Structure formats: structure tokens, C-alpha cells
Amino acid sequence: MVTDPVCETDVNPNDTEVQSEKEGEMYYFCSIDCREKFEMNPEQYIS
Ligand SMILES: [Zn+2]
């Protein structure tokens, strides 16, 4: 499991197609809404 960086829900990477790659890292999301928030302001979620 990985953690959705936006809402901090556990996400199974094998189970979601909602993903985004930033700076060589893959991020997975519970929903398209979370991905949109991430895409608008990735620096806020990448620590
Ligand atoms: Zn989420």
C-alpha cells in the first residue's frame, strides 16, 4: 500500500489507475479529485 499524498488515504497501486509521476516518483491517488489537487500544487504535497 502507498499513501495518497493529498488526503493521506491508503491506496493499493495495483488497484488504481489514478496516478501521477513527478520528478521520477510515482504517486497514487484515491480519486481523480485528489490527483487534480496534486497537479495544481505538487510542491504542497511532496515533502
Ligand atoms: Zn485521496
Side-chain angles (χ1 to χ4, degrees), residues 2-4 6 12-13 17 24 29-31 33 36 42-43 45:
V2 296
T3 302
D4 177 329
V6 176
N12 185 340
E17 294 179 4
F29 306 93
C30 67
S31 66
D33 281 353
E36 283 181 355
E43 296 80 10
Y45 302 106

Side-chain angles (χ1 to χ4, degrees), residues 10-27:
D10 286 337
V11 176
N12 185 340
N14 298 319
D15 222 37
T16 181
E17 294 179 4
V18 189
Q19 60 191 51
S20 180
E21 190 258 315
K22 279 275 176 299
E23 299 173 4
E25 293 267 357
M26 290 303 297
Y27 295 92

Side-chain angles (χ1 to χ4, degrees), residues 19 24 28 37 41:
Q19 60 191 51
Y28 299 89
K37 286 184 197 166
N41 197 359

